[in-house]
Amino acid sequence: MASPSLETRDLTIRFGGHVAVNGVSCAFRPGELTVIVGPNGAGKTTYFNLISGQLRATSGQVLKDGRDISRLAPSGRARAGLGRAFQLTNLFPALSVLENIRLAVQARAGVGRQFLRRAAAHRDLVAQAEHYLEATRLTRAAHLPAVALAHGDQRKLEVALLLAMEPDVFMFDEPTAGMSLDHAPEVLELIAEIKRDTARTVLLVEHKMEVVRALADRIIVLHNGALLADGKPEEVMASDLVREVYLGKRGAA
Amino acid sequence: MTKLGPGGWSVRLIVLAIGVALLLAPFLFPGVRPIQVAARICVFIVLVASYDLLIGYTGVVSFAHTMFFGLGAYGTAIALSQSDASWGALLIGGALGVLAALVLAVLIGLLSLRVRAIFFAMVTLAVASVALVLASQLSGLTGGEDGLTYSTPDLFSPATPLWHDAAGKTARLFGVRMDGQILAYYLVFFCALLLYLLLLRVTVSPLGTVLKAIRENEARAEALGYRVVAYRTFVFGFTAVMAALAGVLYAIWLQYTGPDTTLSFEIMVDILLMVVIGGMGTMWGAVIGAAALVMAQYYLRDVMQAAAGATAGLPLLPALLNPDRWLLWLGIAFILLVYFFPAGIAGTLTRREARK
Ligand SMILES: Nc1ncnc2c1ncn2[C@@H]1O[C@H](COP(=O)(O)OP(=O)(O)O)[C@@H](O)[C@H]1O
Ligand SMILES: [Mg+2]
């Protein structure tokens, strides 16, 4: 088994008296897609925020390829290979769709500091941005400001930014939430494609059970901030405890 | 469909027209006053464009821009007045002034760009106030409130002919004396043009997109891997250097440097007005805003004088048009501008064109 690309050790955060993530220890390996489930308020988004650095842990560590990155700012963690898409759409509203994606491309390429050449003259950057534009079928909207997109297209752009970062670890937070039925499969197909690349690690927060079944190599269940279950999809979905706190409550499965 | 672009055609045409007018100003508008106005416009274009990169593109609010302008000007002025009017003094003084601006900007940036925007603005206000007080207190060095008057190298003197005509006198081209002042004007013009083109280039570069990204959504820029504080510090230092270079040019041109010409908060307010009139975050707006406000400051009173004269027989109007009330009219013009061009002249024209 490959060594973990991402690991959390006893990761905990308190907001006042409320423990939103409570001692979560978990390792994620390349080539593995882990779906994180749990009822609303379970701490899934907060867990992501702790990993990608938007929040600082009260205690515990985040390790990337064995290196402790708990003290790094979000930008440092991104450069260390962690990529993140947000549950609540989080874009650059007045910038064009193409510019949004190019920002992700040039961050990875490390050309953000160049100011003597026109961005359009960096043909390679533009070509890569156009590639992800194509992949998310946003080409026709390339020159529209992000704010002018329909909600579903904004969600796709959110995904496109993460893809364009080309990180080692992809973190998707409910990528298809609020997306129409014809757009969701496009996004899921993109995630399935990443999964086929065995060097990548994928974390996916997702509620839809058919998605979980189709994509998950592994499921972890968060409940009240704590890790409740961790295992193969069929094991976890069969567990009585999980059915009770999560699946039962939602009446799904 | 709203297509995003750096500027509409009408905006580019206006900017081009202003550029050509400035290039030919000594020939188109002969006389003492027009060339002063033109030089001031050139200097303020650089000052306003660099401020636009800071506030309009990156979203950093600073009130220290005139302080950096002043550092460049005072560096040049002090060196020239303490020694002879040599090129060496000019270059060393100018370079030290620009360096001081850079060091101070990086220090302020590193110490306080991490904090909230409003707090950062307050810090710049405080530092700029201290600089203003220092300039008037250290009168031995700075000339205090009176400022410094000095000579620049002879080459820039109106008494220096650039070349002679057949009779051995200062040559004339299209009736304009080819003297050192013309040379000084074109030094100002071409340096300003170069700095402006550099700033324009920055806005369309990869860095320019990052700056806009920081303005739009700082946390998201950080999540993509951009160290926002480092970028802000960089752009703060970079624009401080641009402002200081504009100060050097102005000190050379005026042969006088004082609090009123470079450091005062009135100039800071002028810069803010120019950015808003021209259009924040457009870069073209700097040219339009600087030209419009400087022209108004120099000529509005003349226009009102003429208007008051023309309406002399009528009731009330002559009193309203009394040149002493020019600030009132400037205020009214500003309010109307903001009402009809809410995104500034360049910003609103570009939007209108894009909507078609
Ligand atoms: N910044 C914050 N301050 C206070 N409480 C927070 C903060 N962020 C999240 N929480 C709380 O942490 C809990 C977990 O939230 P979240 O991680 O968004 O849940 P999920 O994504 O699983 O639906 C919730 O009770 C939420 O109110
Ligand atoms: Mg959530």
Side-chain angles (χ1 to χ4, degrees), chain A residues 75 90 94 103 116 119 158, chain B residues 201 204 216-217 220 222 226:
Chain A
S75 56
N90 195 352
L103 278 162
L116 291 178
E158 183 71 41
Chain B
R201 173 51 66 90
V204 296
E216 289 290 307
N217 188 346
R220 187 58 157 133
E222 180 78 30
Y226 297 109

Side-chain angles (χ1 to χ4, degrees), chain A:
Chain A
M1 212 184 213
S3 59
S5 52
L6 175 70
E7 191 179 349
T8 66
R9 289 190 186 154
D10 260 332
L11 205 58
T12 301
I13 188 166
R14 276 176 227 282
F15 297 113
H18 177 65
V19 189
V21 172
N22 194 356
V24 176
S25 295
C26 206
F28 305 93
R29 292 181 165 73
E32 186 182 61
L33 188 149
T34 306
V35 173
I36 302 172
V37 298
N40 272 330
K44 304 178 296 294
T45 298
T46 307
Y47 185 51
F48 271 13
N49 283 338
L50 289 172
I51 294 172
S52 54
Q54 278 74 28
L55 291 171
R56 280 289 166 86
T58 312
S59 62
Q61 285 104 44
V62 180
L63 292 93
K64 171 77 188 11
D65 297 319
R67 178 166 77 106
D68 186 353
I69 56 167
S70 318
R71 308 242 129 264
L72 294 184
S75 56
R77 301 189 197 196
R79 287 197 303 276
L82 295 185
R84 163 84 190 272
F86 292 83
Q87 180 179 1
L88 298 175
T89 303
N90 195 352
L91 302 164
F92 305 104
L95 303 194
S96 74
V97 170
L98 185 61
E99 278 178 312
N100 269 270
I101 301 179
R102 180 160 55 73
L103 278 162
V105 172
Q106 69 182 39
R108 165 171 50 79
V111 295
R113 275 180 233 97
Q114 294 205 9
F115 61 90
L116 291 178
R117 275 176 75 196
R118 291 183 313 122
H122 289 265
R123 294 258 100 237
D124 48 329
L125 295 188
V126 179
Q128 288 179 55
E130 281 166 351
H131 167 78
Y132 287 107
L133 206 55
E134 190 89 26
T136 46
R137 301 193 200 166
L138 288 169
T139 306
R140 275 191 314 146
H143 297 288
L144 290 180
V147 68
L149 296 184
H151 177 75
D153 283 342
Q154 289 190 347
R155 297 299 301 153
K156 287 206 292 182
L157 182 53
E158 183 71 41
V159 169
L161 289 196
L162 175 52
L163 299 182
M165 286 175 81
E166 296 183 3
D168 304 333
V169 178
F170 290 76
M171 295 191 282
F172 293 95
D173 197 349
E174 306 197 22
T176 62
M179 226 179 236
S180 66
L181 286 175
D182 46 321
H183 282 158
E186 284 173 27
V187 169
L188 295 172
E189 177 49 37
L190 287 167
I191 296 175
E193 212 167 285
I194 301 167
K195 188 184 144 165
R196 286 194 275 276
D197 179 346
T198 54
R200 313 290 188 183
T201 309
V202 184
L203 277 63
L204 171 65
V205 174
E206 184 57 74
H207 285 301
K208 301 186 187 82
M209 272 308 130
E210 63 279 13
V211 174
V212 178
R213 280 206 197 85
L215 288 174
D217 297 313
R218 171 191 180 193
I219 295 179
I220 65 177
V221 183
L222 283 183
H223 183 56
N224 289 335
L227 189 62
L228 185 77
D230 176 356
K232 295 226 170 294
E234 52 282 10
E235 294 166 14
V236 172
M237 295 212 280
S239 141
D240 291 341
L241 193 57
V242 172
R243 281 179 168 278
E244 191 179 317
V245 306
Y246 178 61
L247 305 175
K249 226 180 227 173
R250 292 179 61 84

Side-chain angles (χ1 to χ4, degrees), chain B residues 34-77:
Chain B
I35 201 170
Q36 295 293 342
V37 176
R40 187 175 162 91
I41 292 175
C42 291
V43 169
F44 271 76
I45 285 174
V46 176
L47 202 53
V48 175
S50 55
Y51 194 64
D52 192 26
L53 189 68
L54 191 62
I55 191 171
Y57 280 82
T58 322
V60 173
V61 179
S62 156
F63 296 107
H65 212 57
T66 43
M67 177 181 75
F68 299 126
F69 184 50
L71 279 170
Y74 270 96
T76 313

